[in-house]
Amino acid sequence: MIILKRTQPFLILIICLVFSSSCGGEKEGISEANVWDQVPEILENIKTPDFRDEVYNILDYGAVADGQTDASDAIRSAIVACSEEGGGKVVVPAGSYATGPIYLQSNVNLHLEEGARLLFSTDPKDYLPLVYTRWEGVELMNYSPLIYAFEEVNIAITGKGVLDGQANETNWWPWKGKKEYGWKEGMPQQEDADKRHKLFQMAEDDIPVENRVFGEGYYLRPQFVQPYLCKNVLIQGVKIVNSPMWILNPVLCENVTIEGVTVESHGPNSDGCDPESSKNVLIKDCFFNTGDDCIAIKSGRNADGRRINIPSENIIIQNCKMADGHGGVVIGSEISGGVKNVFAENCEMNSPHLERALRIKTSSMRGGVIENVYLRNITVGQISQQVIRVNMFYEDSGAYVPIVRNIRVENMEVMDGGKVGVLLEAYESSPVENVKLENINIKHVEKDYEFSNVKEVTFNNVTINGENIKLDSNQ
């Protein structure tokens, strides 16, 4: 094990243990040279849905494009007819349409034409009855997400239109309990002891999900788009703005493609995309400008994540752009089910309000195994905190020490690196293992790197603040 801390101009290097010869991906027969060879095979397994060439125009079902008349029934009727008749395209023509939650059914492509805008209600009562959902990594009965699907197959949201959650400081956001989002003293909010914390305690006590009944009076904001236990999901081309909280949140899904989507929402917990306990996910050509993490890969929180025990795996991120956010590519913190095989390439990140490029956050309350995380060809303009950060001390501690191993970042150019170039923080009993950085250039950073409890860290052709830094713990 190595404990490293480098603050200009010193290097402290303490070798505490003899290193093991291999871990993670190498144990599974994946050599260092060919980890990226897995990507084409994963892509071949991601099946996008096919739809009949039939059109169901919501105007034919009574929708009015005036931005005020409730089009919920028209949209619902079009979706039901489309699905029952074998599937096709439910078209939202140009214009603005007021709506409540939308439930997608199998073989339906909800298609927003250019100039179309769906304006989602901000009245919580419209999101009843309660549905089976996951909230911050814990299953419960809660308000419906704005767009929801449960155990459906072959579903899509496509087109050049806009999905507008209309969330702001006068609705949804104050439930967070922070003044910057409109909350005032005396207003109810999710942090009251009998709300969010009650849900988490019920999960720790293994209360059956059907008895975790929340909704009215609990102030747990719904997600924007949540396919749950679905297969063959496509979200393509649309713009999504002003969400109550997490925005794109496929849960326990398989074969998910999110392509060419623009996400802009600066509310609390406005994560751009949260694949959660999902397998074979492609996020491509997207733009994220968010109030929280741009892409955050998750797999359940604490006892509930361990109960379900399904990781997120085979996550591919290509050609995406990240502006504001707590992190560009993030894993955690609701990661108790683990994550493996994350590939991010050819991405651009740049904003004074973007805190990190690669962020892994977990804790000994979360636990889980995070392994095989690969980034290459990443261009970073400005960030404010760390270029790469692994943190095992995020939020609460407990008895489930996480494992983080096999991280490889290559071909990264950073113009303004913020406070720390590489910050790795772990337990002595579970060091961050097998971290390899190659062909990295980080400029204008206050501190080169800081490590606490790491094992097998290699820097090859890494330049920080103009100085070439060579590290190889195997020598």
Side-chain angles (χ1 to χ4, degrees), residues 255-269:
N255 298 339
V256 178
T257 300
I258 299 170
E259 183 175 6
V261 174
T262 296
V263 174
E264 295 193 80
S265 181
H266 283 81
N269 311 108

Side-chain angles (χ1 to χ4, degrees), residues 245-257:
M245 57 170 292
W246 295 0
I247 298 164
L248 295 168
N249 180 212
V251 179
L252 294 162
C253 290
E254 185 173 351
N255 298 339
V256 178
T257 300

Side-chain angles (χ1 to χ4, degrees), residues 272-284:
C273 183
D274 296 296
E276 193 169 3
S277 298
S278 292
K279 181 178 182 180
N280 295 340
V281 178
L282 172 63
I283 307 167
K284 181 179 180 180

